[in-house]
């Protein structure tokens, strides 16, 4: 293992010094301002944490939830309702991302929330909302989770809800359908729902919601259960099962039900431990509270109260509004902020980096998690997205953390080395059979499960994706692994199969093809593959979609319409991603690079930050999107610093490298 060296990737490329000298002075000033601004955001504990914004379905759900648990204080509900009201669109609906069109479920939930907040159904605002709901297909076309929440308070009948039977818990892990073939976030969301589906509670709330007026055609309430036109299809198979389970529900004696419920309750209880709320994400935590209530726990019961308290931590209260985050992202924000600062020239032994590294090392997960069900006999060693979510470390965070730690001159080198080896071992074990990596689980790719009726959140599974695969390849490349190593080669093979005909890669966790393409090119740069024809096709695509102002932008609408890939108003984060991709695989003299650099310099604000309204993060494509408030700051800083370092041949400090042969000789635990 090499310690404390300086390295450069792709040594075969010759980079000119000061290729665009007119930019040099302003570039340095921009980097220094961005660096100072980012340093000012670090917490006293060493981490970074930006707001994680989503659409108004969270605030709407939260009003509903507070009514169910009996904690809907007028002041709290008023502030939440203010936030929802102010985001109604001119056509009467609510959208799920900035600048997007009205979306049915967001509009239904907003209508219900504002009724619970005291708004009259005859108010102009709700009349317009009701009309828009009809235009979007009516309540009958809403998704399964919208209908299930309404069933919890008796607003719709349970026969409008797809079956979520607790007997799912009894299916063995070797069976094609079982809870560990679902994505980790789906498990967290669905297992509490199995308890609710079995008990079918009717929670008491004050007031009448009156959702019957939201149906476009009341005779078509079962629209969601229409058969597929193709007789033999997975959808029809699962619809048949759904109807069978609903018949089973009518049978008084269910021999497996109590056993299944015991397992569901045990799973729920175990997974609330070692985490700050079930799966540390809002829908799972909210569903867990509802499930505990249905099991007879009161809101004051210690277990329920703890979960309620954890969810309350997601609130951000202003003078007259409350908004709700879907989760928090300290590990993710910290790792990316560190990499940006390192690229921007912060000394590797700077206290800011050392303190951040200490915080990350303390948060490495060394206990068991759900991932072990499909990857046994592997030591834990990953990192999660949140403060504490021990059951669910993820590949993307782990790879980014390892890259951040590698460039810190940490005083306890033995601790750093041991943590690094353990993290790398975990990453390698999570490689899927197709050569790629998913986010949380191993080989979680059974596409037919996406046809289950309650799978309409469009994220039932967690298969390999280009962006996560690229992150691991970049990490391994930084640690000294060559492009011809079998692990890297299999990953690259997956990327080649996943590349689109035009050249870019799809972005699963960021918007969208600009994000995916940037990540892949940066990864392949670290293993000296960007001269390959497939990379140059991607570079040419980036050039083609660059906006006239020099920036890059891509609308979230590209998830629904691939013809919109790479098209949209320029944003700070997406311009940074486009620039990172160009820097990885184009020549530094490329005019597209200069235009992107100039755009970021021009758009920086006086305090060193950048502005961005758009959502550029992805939760569930076509369903749920995110705005990471730090994306607009640390990615531009990294991209500009990367440009300066490449053109001025600045080497990087590398605290350690773990080459494959060394890793094979000394595996964790030996």
């Amino acid at each position: 293992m090499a310690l404390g060296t300086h390295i450069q990737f792709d040594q075969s490329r010759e980079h000119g010094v000061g290729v665009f000298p007119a930019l040099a002075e302003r570039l340095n000033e921009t980097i220094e301002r961005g660096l100072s601004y980012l340093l000012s955001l670090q917490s006293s504990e060493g981490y970074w944490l930006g707001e994680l914004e989503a659409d108004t379905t969270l605030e709407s759900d939260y009003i509903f939830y507070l009514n169910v648990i009996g904690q809907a204080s007028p002041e709290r509900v008023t502030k939440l309702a203010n936030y929802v009201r102010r985001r109604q669109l001119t056509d009467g609906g609510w959208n799920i991302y900035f600048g997007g069109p009205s979306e049915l479920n967001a509009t239904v939930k907003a209508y219900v929330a504002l009724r619970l907040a005291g708004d009259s159904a005859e108010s102009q605002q709700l009349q317009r909302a009701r009309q828009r709901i009809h235009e979007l297909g009516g309540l009958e076309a809403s998704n399964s989770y919208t209908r299930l929440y309404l069933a919890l308070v008796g607003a719709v009948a349970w026969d409008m809800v797809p079956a979520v039977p607790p007997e799912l818990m009894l299916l063995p892990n070797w069976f094609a359908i079982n809870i560990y073939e679902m994505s980790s976030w789906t498990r967290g969301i669905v297992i509490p729902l199995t308890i609710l589906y079995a008990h079918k509670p009717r929670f008491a709330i004050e007031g009448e919601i009156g959702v019957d007026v939201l149906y476009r055609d009341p005779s078509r309430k079962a629209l969601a259960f229409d058969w597929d036109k193709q007789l033999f299809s997975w959808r029809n198979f699962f619809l048949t099962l759904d109807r069978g389970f609903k018949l089973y529900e009518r049978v008084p004696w269910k021999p497996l039900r109590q056993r299944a419920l015991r397992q569901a309750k045990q799973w729920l209880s175990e997974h609330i431990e070692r985490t700050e709320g079930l799966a540390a994400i809002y829908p799972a935590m909210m569903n867990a509270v509802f499930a505990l209530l249905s099991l007879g726990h009161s809101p004051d019961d210690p277990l329920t109260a703890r979960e309620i308290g954890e969810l309350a931590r997601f609130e951000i209260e202003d003078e007259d509004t409350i908004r709700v985050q879907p989760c928090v992202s300290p590990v993710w924000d910290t790792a990316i902020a560190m990499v940006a600062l390192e690229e921007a020239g912060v000394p590797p032994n700077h206290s800011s980096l050392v303190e951040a590294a200490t915080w990350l090392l303390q948060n490495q997960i060394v206990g068991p998690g759900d991932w072990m069900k499909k990857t046994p006999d592997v030591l834990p060693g990953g990192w999660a997205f949140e403060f504490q979510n021990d059951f669910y470390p993820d590949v993307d965070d782990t790879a980014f953390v390892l890259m951040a730690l590698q460039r810190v001159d940490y005083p306890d080198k033995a601790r750093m080395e041991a943590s690094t080896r353990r993290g790398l071992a975990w990453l390698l074990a999570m490689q899927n059979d197709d050569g790629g990596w998913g986010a949380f689980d191993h080989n979680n790719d059974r596409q037919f499960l996406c046809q289950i009726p309650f799978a309409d959140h469009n994220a039932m599974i967690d298969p390999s994706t280009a962006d996560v695969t690229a992150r691991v390849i970049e990490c391994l490349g930084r640690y000294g692994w060559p492009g011809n190593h079998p692990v890297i080669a299999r990953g690259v093979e997956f990327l080649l199969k996943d590349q689109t005909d035009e050249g870019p890669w799809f972005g699963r966790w960021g918007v969208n093809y600009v994000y995916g393409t940037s990540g892949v090119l940066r990864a392949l740069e670290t293993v000296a593959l960007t001269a390959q024809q497939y990379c140059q096709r991607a570079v040419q695509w980036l050039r083609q979609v660059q906006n006239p102002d020099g920036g890059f932008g891509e609308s979230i609408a590209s998830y629904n319409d691939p013809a919109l890939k790479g098209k949209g108003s320029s944003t700070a984060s997406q311009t940074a991603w486009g620039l990172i991709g160009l820097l990885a695989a184009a020549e530094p003299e490329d005019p597209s690079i200069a235009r992107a650099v100039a755009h970021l310099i021009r758009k920086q604000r006086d305090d060193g930050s950048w502005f961005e309204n758009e959502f550029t993060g992805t939760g569930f494509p076509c369903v749920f999107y995110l705005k990471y408030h730090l994306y607009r700051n640390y990615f531009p800083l990294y991209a500009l610093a990367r440009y300066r370092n490449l053109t001025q041949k600045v080497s990087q400090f590398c605290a350690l490298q773990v080459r494959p042969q060394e890793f094979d000789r000394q595996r964790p635990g030996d």
Side-chain angles (χ1 to χ4, degrees):
M1 173 174 290
L3 297 174
T5 61
H6 282 74
I7 61 171
Q8 280 186 299
F9 297 116
D10 200 358
Q11 297 286 344
S12 63
R13 289 175 55 182
E14 291 296 330
H15 299 296
V17 179
V19 176
F20 301 108
L23 293 174
E25 184 175 349
R26 292 185 63 201
L27 174 65
N28 289 330
E29 292 173 355
T30 303
I31 291 171
E32 290 306 309
R33 281 198 302 267
L35 191 156
S36 296
Y37 181 80
L38 190 55
L39 283 172
S40 74
L41 301 179
Q42 187 175 19
S43 73
S44 58
E45 290 86 356
Y47 61 82
W48 279 263
L49 177 61
E51 181 179 344
L52 189 56
E53 183 181 343
D55 61 75
T56 58
T57 57
L58 276 76
E59 290 74 28
S60 298
D61 280 348
Y62 207 63
I63 291 173
F64 176 89
Y65 156 84
L66 291 175
N67 274 270
V68 169
I69 66 174
Q71 295 183 10
S73 68
E75 180 182 5
R76 211 170 176 194
V77 169
T78 297
K79 287 190 170 188
L80 288 159
N82 285 343
Y83 189 82
V84 175
R85 290 189 193 102
R86 293 173 189 176
R87 279 153 181 77
Q88 187 175 24
L89 303 178
T90 55
D91 66 5
W94 279 260
N95 59 23
I96 57 173
Y97 59 89
F98 177 84
S102 292
E103 195 271 342
L104 175 61
N105 296 287
T107 306
V108 168
K109 290 186 174 190
Y111 182 95
V112 170
L114 294 180
R115 291 287 287 124
L116 289 171
D119 289 14
S120 168
E122 302 310 312
S123 68
Q124 185 180 20
Q125 190 165 32
L126 291 191
Q127 285 188 55
R128 290 192 298 119
R130 187 162 63 243
Q131 180 180 346
R132 190 65 182 129
I133 289 168
H134 290 167
E135 293 167 351
L136 292 169
L139 178 59
E140 62 268 35
S142 62
N143 69 27
S144 60
Y145 299 125
T146 298
R147 287 177 274 122
L148 188 144
Y149 281 1
L150 290 173
L152 291 177
V153 296
V156 305
W158 277 95
D159 60 9
M160 285 190 65
V161 179
V164 196
E167 284 78 8
L168 285 170
M169 303 297 300
L170 303 179
L171 298 175
N173 293 346
W174 52 262
F175 194 63
I177 305 170
N178 70 79
I179 61 170
Y180 293 103
E181 293 298 342
M182 303 175 190
S183 62
S184 62
W185 52 86
T186 298
R187 286 195 295 278
I189 293 169
V190 165
I191 290 177
L193 296 185
T194 68
I195 296 171
L196 290 166
Y197 188 80
H199 288 279
K200 295 183 176 57
R202 181 165 182 171
F203 296 127
I205 56 173
E206 293 185 10
E208 185 67 32
I209 302 173
V211 299
D212 286 349
V213 296
L214 302 184
Y215 292 108
R216 185 167 72 176
D217 181 357
S219 68
R220 297 283 289 124
K221 291 183 179 181
L223 175 67
F225 302 100
D226 280 359
W227 296 104
D228 195 356
K229 291 181 180 179
Q230 182 181 348
L231 180 60
F232 298 104
S233 68
W234 281 114
R235 173 176 169 79
N236 286 347
F237 171 75
F238 284 116
L239 284 172
T240 302
L241 285 182
D242 183 83
R243 296 183 184 195
F245 274 120
K246 286 177 177 175
L247 290 173
Y248 172 72
E249 288 295 315
R250 299 175 186 174
V251 177
W253 182 65
K254 303 178 182 67
L256 299 177
R257 175 57 53 90
Q258 291 308 311
R259 179 182 165 200
L261 275 174
R262 281 194 300 271
Q263 289 200 22
K265 287 185 280 189
Q266 181 181 356
W267 189 96
L268 178 62
S269 177
E270 290 174 351
H271 282 71
I272 288 177
E273 297 299 322
R274 296 173 42 236
T275 185
E276 295 178 330
L278 181 62
I281 55 175
Y282 113 89
M285 295 162 69
M286 187 175 290
N287 292 349
V289 172
F290 291 154
L292 291 170
L293 293 179
S294 75
L295 291 169
H297 296 258
S298 75
D300 298 326
D301 177 271
L303 188 60
T304 315
R306 175 186 163 191
E307 200 74 356
I308 290 171
E310 294 291 359
L311 190 52
R313 292 173 58 245
F314 293 165
E315 296 178 26
I316 298 177
E317 185 170 6
D318 292 331
E319 184 176 346
D320 62 347
T321 66
I322 293 176
R323 57 193 185 274
V324 183
Q325 300 177 99
C327 57
V328 291
S329 54
V331 173
W332 183 244
D333 283 334
T334 300
I336 304 175
M338 289 174 67
V339 169
L341 293 174
E342 291 159 356
E343 195 73 28
V346 172
N349 61 352
H350 191 281
S351 60
S352 177
L353 294 178
V354 172
E355 290 166 9
T358 299
W359 185 83
L360 287 175
L361 291 171
Q362 291 168 347
N363 280 275
Q364 187 173 25
I365 297 170
V366 295
D370 281 12
W371 57 273
M372 299 182 81
K373 297 292 183 179
K374 299 186 72 175
T375 316
D377 304 320
V378 174
L379 283 176
W383 278 265
F385 186 74
E386 305 86 356
F387 284 108
Q388 186 182 17
N389 190 14
D390 287 6
F391 283 93
Y392 300 113
D394 72 272
V395 170
D396 215 0
D397 275 275
T398 300
F400 233 128
V401 167
L402 290 170
M403 290 190 286
L405 293 177
Q406 189 198 30
R407 294 172 69 175
V408 179
D409 188 7
Y410 196 69
D412 188 345
K413 291 178 172 51
R415 181 185 182 189
M416 177 73 81
E417 179 178 338
S419 179
T420 297
R421 285 190 175 281
R422 192 157 185 161
L424 286 170
W426 187 79
L427 276 185
L428 294 171
M430 296 297 285
Q431 187 173 26
N432 293 328
D433 291 347
D434 62 8
W437 279 264
F440 291 87
D441 282 302
H442 184 247
N443 289 338
N444 192 277
D445 56 5
R446 294 187 172 174
Q447 289 285 344
F448 66 88
L449 295 179
C450 299
Q451 299 302 316
I452 292 177
F454 61 75
D456 50 7
H457 58 306
N458 199 32
M460 189 68 173
I461 56 176
D462 182 12
S464 297
T465 62
D467 43 8
V468 178
T469 300
R471 197 87 65 207
V472 179
I473 291 174
E474 180 184 358
C475 177
L476 296 176
R478 284 177 176 270
Y479 275 92
W481 294 47
N484 61 0
H485 187 276
V487 169
I488 303 284
R490 290 177 57 222
V492 171
E493 183 180 356
F494 168 80
L495 291 176
L496 293 181
K497 291 177 181 177
D498 203 55
Q499 188 177 23
T500 65
D501 292 339
E502 305 98 315
W505 281 269
F506 177 80
R508 165 61 181 87
W509 296 99
V511 182
N512 176 352
Y513 293 90
V514 173
Y515 178 82
T517 304
S518 170
V520 171
L521 291 177
R522 180 70 185 102
L524 296 180
E525 180 189 18
T526 66
V527 292
L529 291 175
T530 50
Q532 299 297 319
Q533 184 271 338
Y534 52 84
C535 288
Q536 292 308 305
R537 279 199 300 126
V539 169
Q540 183 58 27
W541 179 82
L542 284 175
R543 293 192 189 104
Q544 290 171 352
V545 300
Q546 188 174 23
N547 288 329
D549 64 5
F552 288 84
E554 183 170 3
S555 169
I556 281 174
S558 64
Y559 282 106
N560 298 92
D561 182 1
L564 297 176
K565 60 169 68 80
K567 297 179 180 179
S569 301
S570 297
T571 68
S573 58
Q574 290 168 322
T575 299
W577 297 336
L579 176 56
I580 290 165
L582 290 171
L583 290 171
E587 291 303 317
E589 300 86 354
D590 193 314
S592 295
I593 290 176
R595 291 170 56 221
V597 169
H599 178 88
L600 289 176
I601 291 174
R602 188 170 62 249
K603 291 295 183 179
Q604 189 186 42
R605 300 194 289 189
D606 290 342
D607 65 356
S609 67
W610 281 265
F611 177 75
E612 185 169 279
N613 270 324
E614 289 79 2
F615 286 35
T616 61
T618 307
F620 306 152
C622 304
V623 174
F624 185 65
Y625 299 101
L626 301 163
K627 178 180 177 179
Y628 293 80
H629 280 226
L630 287 185
Y631 271 19
R632 62 180 182 255
N633 294 310
Y634 47 52
F635 280 118
L637 175 61
Y638 173 84
L640 292 175
R642 181 78 183 140
Y643 166 73
R644 183 176 67 180
N645 293 343
L646 284 173
T647 56
Q648 297 181 9
K649 300 181 100 173
V650 176
S651 62
Q652 301 175 0
F653 175 83
C654 175
L656 54 88
Q657 289 188 290
V658 184
R659 297 186 183 277
Q661 57 271 29
E662 300 173 15
F663 191 87
D664 292 340
R665 285 199 304 268
Q666 189 178 351
R667 291 187 180 278
D670 287 354

